Amino acid sequence: AQSVTQLGSHVSVSEGALVLLRCNYSSSVPPYLFWYVQYPNQGLQLLLKYTSAATLVKGINGFEAEFKKSETSFHLTKPSAHMSDAAEYFCAVKRMTQKLVFGQGTRLTINP
Amino acid sequence: GAGVSQTPSNKVTEKGKYVELRCDPISGHTALYWYRQSLGQGPEFLIYFQGTGAADDSGLPNDRFFAVRPEGSVSTLKIQRTERGDSAVYLCASSPRGDNTGELFFGEGSRLTVL
């Protein structure tokens, strides 16, 4: 069964610093991979997705993620954190079935 | 509205009661999903509809949980004999016909509290 592991349930960075949120997946075949963001009291919103095209995927709000098959990773990065980036971030994987399987989530806190 | 709409936004009930949660997907989206999100956890898949039929209900935890989508649009998640462990945010999502890349559009969720 496919699964997703997010390393670090809570990440804290200073405003302007690099954001790195880690995601590893387990799958024998490269799947579709996603990052979703959940702001307080809002629904999940798609940040970006990998669908076997370019391995470096750019998303909204300056985020990007790189698919690395050799490491089975899909880490999310942003060069310079902004206060408005504070939220919960979820990595998700989809392969043969239609359903998305989500990781446990990483809460990102931005310090002024 | 343009997005996925879920009602009620909050529901408090007593153990043993029956609960219905409603989801109105984005117009024209044929696929509809229910997920459950417990505190501090990621969303957990419950059931997926393509049109009126449940294409995958493998995530329903037991036979107290049931979902319908009789006309291929609005869906209702039904929970019988609620237990305290059912307390969670129930998320609904929809996606367009023919979209195999898996992007889902989520509602804001229905928070269920079982006392």
Side-chain angles (χ1 to χ4, degrees), chain A residues 26-90:
Chain A
S26 64
S27 174
S28 59
V29 175
Y32 294 150
L33 292 158
F34 306 79
W35 277 98
Y36 279 81
V37 60
Q38 188 174 33
Y39 298 105
N41 300 316
Q42 295 187 26
L44 280 85
Q45 176 184 358
L46 181 69
L47 265 182
L48 50 80
K49 63 182 178 183
Y50 166 76
T51 57
S52 73
T55 56
L56 182 62
V57 181
K58 294 187 183 298
I60 61 172
N61 301 337
F63 284 92
E64 62 182 36
E66 185 172 7
F67 172 71
K68 292 187 176 181
K69 182 179 177 181
S70 61
E71 299 177 8
T72 60
S73 69
F74 191 58
H75 302 331
L76 181 71
T77 60
K78 181 174 180 177
S80 178
H82 192 272
M83 296 299 290
S84 61
D85 295 327
E88 186 98 21
Y89 292 80
F90 295 94

Side-chain angles (χ1 to χ4, degrees), chain B residues 1-87:
Chain B
V4 176
S5 176
Q6 292 188 246
T7 55
S9 56
N10 277 286
K11 175 70 176 178
V12 180
T13 190
E14 294 179 343
K15 180 176 178 294
K17 298 291 188 182
Y18 170 81
V19 166
E20 288 190 353
L21 306 175
R22 174 190 167 104
C23 173
D24 197 345
I26 292 173
S27 178
H29 282 194
T30 59
L32 185 146
Y33 304 76
W34 283 100
Y35 281 80
R36 177 169 69 175
Q37 187 175 17
S38 300
L39 192 63
Q41 304 293 318
E44 174 191 18
F45 171 79
L46 295 176
I47 187 169
Y48 152 62
F49 288 89
Q50 183 61 262
T52 60
D56 183 350
D57 64 357
S58 62
L60 294 177
N62 52 58
D63 61 6
R64 296 188 296 106
F65 288 75
F66 190 71
V68 296
R69 196 185 184 200
E71 298 178 355
S73 179
V74 170
S75 175
T76 304
L77 178 65
K78 308 181 179 192
I79 310 174
Q80 298 178 321
R81 304 182 304 279
T82 52
E83 300 177 356
R84 292 192 179 88
D86 299 335
S87 296

Side-chain angles (χ1 to χ4, degrees), chain A residues 85-98:
Chain A
D85 295 327
E88 186 98 21
Y89 292 80
F90 295 94
C91 183
V93 62
K94 173 186 176 297
R95 200 168 67 88
M96 298 300 292
T97 65
Q98 291 296 320

